[in-house]
Amino acid sequence: MTNLLRANFSRLKRDGMFWSCVLTVLACSIGFMVLWCLENAERGALTDLDEFYFRLSAAMGFFYAMFTCLFLSVEYGEGTIRNKLTVGHTRREVYLANFITVFAASLCMAAAWLVGGLAGVPFLGFLTIGPVGTALCFVIIVGFTAAFSAIYTFIGMLNDRRSATVITVAVWLILVLVSSIFENTLHEPEEITQMLVSVDGGAPAAVTEPNPYYISGIQRTIYEFVVDFLPTGQSSSLQNINIGHPVRMLLSSLGITAAFTLGGLRLFERKDLK
Amino acid sequence: MDYILETKNLIKHYKNGKALNGLTMHVEKGAIYGFVGRNGAGKTTLIRLICGLQEPTEGTFTLYGCPNKSKEITKARRRMGAVVETPSIYLSMTAEENLKQQYQILGLPSYDGLKDLLELVRLGNTGKKKAKDFSLGMRQRLGIAVALAGDPDFLILDEPANGLDPQGIVEIRELILRLNRERQITVLISSHILDELSRLATHYGFIDNGRMVKEISAPELEASCRKCLRLTVSDARPLTTALDKMGLEYSVRSDTEVDVYEAPSVTELTLALHSAGCEVKNIHEHDESLESYYMNLVGGGSDD
């Protein structure tokens, strides 16, 4: 597998799509950070770097998806996957080498995002969450990046049609949708205040009553679990450094990565290639 | 006999039917094996199985004597190179970069021999030109160079002349002949361009509907296809006696049918047969090309 990895990384170095993705992420990260800082400085509402630094995390799944499916589709589109199998590499080696390459490339994109975010330091100073908090955030980023890579590699390696790109982006959108539905429900306040105006011209009165959309008990625990479980939920939580259950998040990422990689390996070994 | 590849009753099912239906074939070491069959006969399917892109539903094959179910098959595959359907090359890379990729995939310690390989396929002067800007013939030759990167002694080429112009076809033919003669590489070529194949192949395998119809060596085929006069008579014995007396080369096909390979005096022959009490029922010139041999073998039905 070392040979395959060496070949993949050598290809990655020359891959225009990879560098385009890295530079786009870097440009977005710097651009948005400066924009947010300038906007908030104008309103006199500048707080600290924590508020903005991880804001781009929700979009990272999209960049990973675009890169992964385009990188892997070349193997099928140009038939080069055959060169690896014909000379005796096993399917297991080919799949794992591609997963590791995709994961490493995605980490490079994540690094570009985090480096770009440092453009906010001159305006806001460094993160206030401390080295442990920062390290935890970084570990969670590595975790959900691995989970995204495993899911996208699964799709890219098992789908040899051009539609793989569409499917990968669609999967990301569905995951975003699902996690945002659960997250929005979790953000519902426990009570809502309504203003009542009487018809006889009396003064309006504020009435506080329980929010029917607020969930509690086992249902809330399940919703929290789903948000912590999905990589899109994790990246969304990270936007506001809202990391309630870091261990659960990491174990979820590990579980997703293992499940999709093992499942992908099993199915890829049986797949008829052309 | 020393075989590089042997298949036994290979069967491959797809959702829409059987692509291979008990295929048995033998590729001798040092041969240029022409694998002939119409579109959809199962040629590419067999190549996919040998290359490990697909698994047979039933049956077995051995590569360098190594069974396909054995774990050692991956090692055996390191001794072969293949171009399956289209050349497998990165279009965004140059010829040299493509070869470097393959060298890395193979784990070769250096790029020694890379330039020679490019020269061998006449792509030594392509410089920084990307493969996407190559002609079809150049891509095909680059595909062959990639397949040759590991210095294989068995090369599989699936329809190498497809889509090439006449010059491209000649270049590929010369390359294959050079590889076979100078490097002793055994070559399996699938094709339905029979005229082209007849200039190369030392052995033939004719496949139809997923089955091997006939395996034959080039000399045997040449003998079958030799121009001759085919005589149908009431009894072949007086005819052979007369032919022996006339000193003509012939072969007996049956009790009533004889092929005569040199032009006899028909009058002299019929008179001799008449006096021997042998009736001449039919005389016709028989000149079979590879194409007509193939058509006789598999019939002239449609591709469906």
Side-chain angles (χ1 to χ4, degrees):
Chain A
M1 197 165 76
T2 322
N3 297 335
L4 288 175
L5 282 173
R6 195 175 300 137
N8 277 0
F9 282 118
S10 154
R11 188 185 142 212
L12 196 64
K13 264 200 301 191
R14 296 192 193 101
D15 191 66
M17 175 51 63
F18 168 65
W19 290 111
S20 302
C21 284
V22 169
L23 292 175
T24 307
V25 170
L26 186 67
C28 287
S29 184
I30 295 172
F32 281 117
M33 180 59 82
V34 172
L35 199 71
W36 290 326
C37 288
L38 291 176
E39 258 181 18
N40 284 279
E42 218 170 75
R43 288 192 282 122
L46 270 184
T47 50
D48 49 49
L49 188 63
D50 304 13
E51 196 183 337
F52 305 111
Y53 192 63
F54 295 107
R55 267 202 188 174
L56 213 59
S57 67
M60 291 312 292
F62 173 74
F63 288 111
Y64 298 161
M66 287 306 292
F67 164 75
T68 305
C69 52
L70 290 172
F71 185 78
L72 295 180
S73 67
V74 169
E75 297 264 302
Y76 283 117
E78 294 172 11
T80 45
I81 197 164
R82 297 193 292 244
N83 291 342
K84 299 173 177 175
L85 295 166
T86 304
V87 297
H89 288 292
T90 62
R91 290 182 180 224
R92 185 173 289 257
E93 288 171 339
V94 172
Y95 189 100
L96 285 176
N98 280 352
F99 166 65
I100 293 168
T101 311
V102 161
F103 178 43
S106 301
L107 284 179
C108 289
M109 280 182 253
W113 153 46
L114 296 172
V115 169
L118 296 176
V121 172
F123 299 95
L124 305 160
F126 286 98
L127 290 167
T128 60
I129 50 174
V132 175
T134 310
L136 191 65
C137 290
F138 286 178
V139 171
I140 285 167
I141 290 169
V142 172
F144 73 66
T145 301
F148 272 127
S149 300
I151 296 169
Y152 298 155
T153 304
F154 179 91
I155 299 167
M157 291 298 285
L158 296 177
N159 195 330
D160 50 10
R161 298 191 190 97
R162 288 181 192 279
S163 57
T165 311
V166 180
I167 294 170
T168 312
V169 175
V171 166
W172 174 72
L173 277 173
I174 290 165
L175 289 176
V176 167
L177 197 70
V178 171
S179 58
S180 62
I181 289 170
F182 280 79
E183 214 173 7
N184 287 343
T185 310
L186 285 171
H187 287 151
E188 285 287 341
E190 198 169 353
E191 291 177 331
I192 47 171
T193 304
Q194 289 179 315
M195 296 301 287
L196 290 181
V197 181
S198 65
V199 287
D200 56 6
V207 177
T208 301
E209 53 186 43
N211 180 357
Y213 298 110
Y214 179 80
I215 53 167
S216 58
I218 186 79
Q219 199 182 0
R220 188 165 194 86
T221 311
I222 291 170
Y223 273 53
E224 282 174 350
F225 175 79
V226 172
V227 172
D228 287 342
F229 179 77
L230 294 175
T232 42
Q234 292 182 21
S235 55
S236 178
S237 301
L238 190 73
Q239 280 186 306
N240 307 312
I241 320 185
N242 177 23
I243 306 166
H245 311 96
V247 176
R248 190 157 77 187
M249 283 176 159
L250 286 172
L251 287 177
S252 299
S253 293
L254 201 66
I256 289 173
T257 307
F260 274 89
T261 305
L262 291 174
L265 277 171
R266 205 170 168 76
L267 294 174
F268 184 63
E269 277 178 346
R270 291 179 193 168
K271 184 176 166 60
D272 278 345
L273 299 173
K274 287 186 176 170
Chain B
M1 196 70 73
D2 203 0
Y3 294 121
I4 295 254
L5 172 72
E6 257 189 295
T7 74
K8 276 182 198 158
N9 296 318
L10 274 185
I11 293 175
K12 179 66 185 174
H13 281 289
Y14 291 125
K15 279 178 198 163
N16 52 357
K18 268 184 187 176
L20 291 182
N21 189 12
L23 185 97
T24 298
M25 75 184 287
H26 308 82
V27 179
E28 258 179 58
K29 191 177 177 184
I32 297 180
Y33 190 100
F35 195 32
V36 186
R38 64 182 101 193
N39 290 334
K43 304 186 294 291
T44 303
T45 301
L46 175 86
I47 290 173
R48 287 179 185 148
L49 298 188
I50 298 163
C51 292
L53 302 175
Q54 300 183 356
E55 285 296 317
T57 312
E58 278 176 53
T60 57
F61 67 86
T62 59
L63 194 60
Y64 298 101
C66 181
N68 62 306
K69 298 276 182 196
S70 139
K71 282 190 176 175
E72 298 299 304
I73 191 78
T74 54
K75 280 186 189 162
R77 285 205 178 102
R78 276 177 205 177
R79 295 172 62 188
M80 62 176 252
V83 181
V84 187
E85 291 181 286
T86 51
S88 307
I89 50 174
Y90 291 107
L91 297 177
S92 60
M93 292 186 191
T94 64
E96 191 175 323
E97 286 167 348
N98 265 291
L99 277 185
K100 282 183 177 172
Q101 267 287 305
Q102 194 61 15
Y103 271 51
Q104 285 172 334
I105 288 169
L106 289 159
L108 299 178
S110 73
Y111 297 133
D112 289 348
L114 190 147
K115 299 273 181 202
D116 294 340
L117 199 49
L118 282 174
E119 288 299 331
L120 180 76
V121 294
R122 303 213 168 93
L123 291 174
N125 55 356
T126 51
K128 292 187 174 176
K129 196 174 180 180
K130 307 271 187 205
K132 66 183 169 197
D133 300 321
F134 283 9
S135 68
L136 203 57
M138 289 165 82
R139 288 185 194 181
Q140 194 69 266
R141 280 182 279 140
L142 179 56
I144 294 176
V146 168
L148 290 171
D151 204 11
D153 36 28
F154 181 35
L155 186 62
I156 298 176
L157 302 173
D158 187 13
E159 309 276 6
N162 249 7
L164 297 184
D165 58 19
Q167 194 191 338
I169 292 176
V170 172
E171 283 173 359
I172 293 288
R173 184 207 309 154
E174 286 176 355
L175 175 63
I176 294 168
L177 285 171
R178 248 184 304 147
L179 291 171
N180 180 254
R181 286 172 192 163
E182 294 170 15
R183 297 191 176 198
Q184 284 76 48
I185 294 177
T186 305
V187 188
L188 168 66
I189 312 175
S190 87
S191 183
H192 49 237
I193 306 176
L194 301 181
D195 179 49
E196 191 47 45
L197 210 54
S198 66
R199 294 163 199 252
L200 281 172
T202 59
H203 293 74
Y204 295 89
F206 296 93
I207 178 178
D208 193 42
N209 290 322
R211 279 182 166 277
M212 185 60 77
V213 183
K214 181 134 183 129
E215 280 189 299
I216 190 168
S217 72
E220 285 169 339
L221 182 72
E222 203 182 317
S224 317
C225 297
R226 216 165 141 190
K227 196 171 178 176
C228 64
L229 207 61
R230 183 163 291 173
L231 285 96
T232 310
V233 290
S234 56
D235 183 1
R237 275 170 301 180
L239 175 57
T240 55
T241 313
L243 290 171
D244 285 336
K245 276 184 188 166
M246 293 167 80
L248 296 172
E249 192 188 346
Y250 63 91
S251 71
V252 180
R253 289 176 56 83
S254 69
D255 289 347
T256 57
E257 215 172 46
V258 174
D259 284 343
V260 184
Y261 295 109
E262 287 163 70
S265 159
V266 177
T267 312
E268 197 182 329
L269 187 63
T270 45
L271 284 173
L273 291 174
H274 179 70
S275 58
C278 174
E279 187 190 348
V280 180
K281 291 183 173 174
N282 193 354
I283 299 178
H284 71 269
E285 206 172 58
H286 186 78
D287 180 13
E288 202 171 37
S289 62
L290 175 59
E291 198 171 76
S292 55
Y293 180 85
Y294 168 71
M295 294 307 285
N296 284 337
L297 210 57
V298 301
S302 72
D303 283 0
D304 302 329

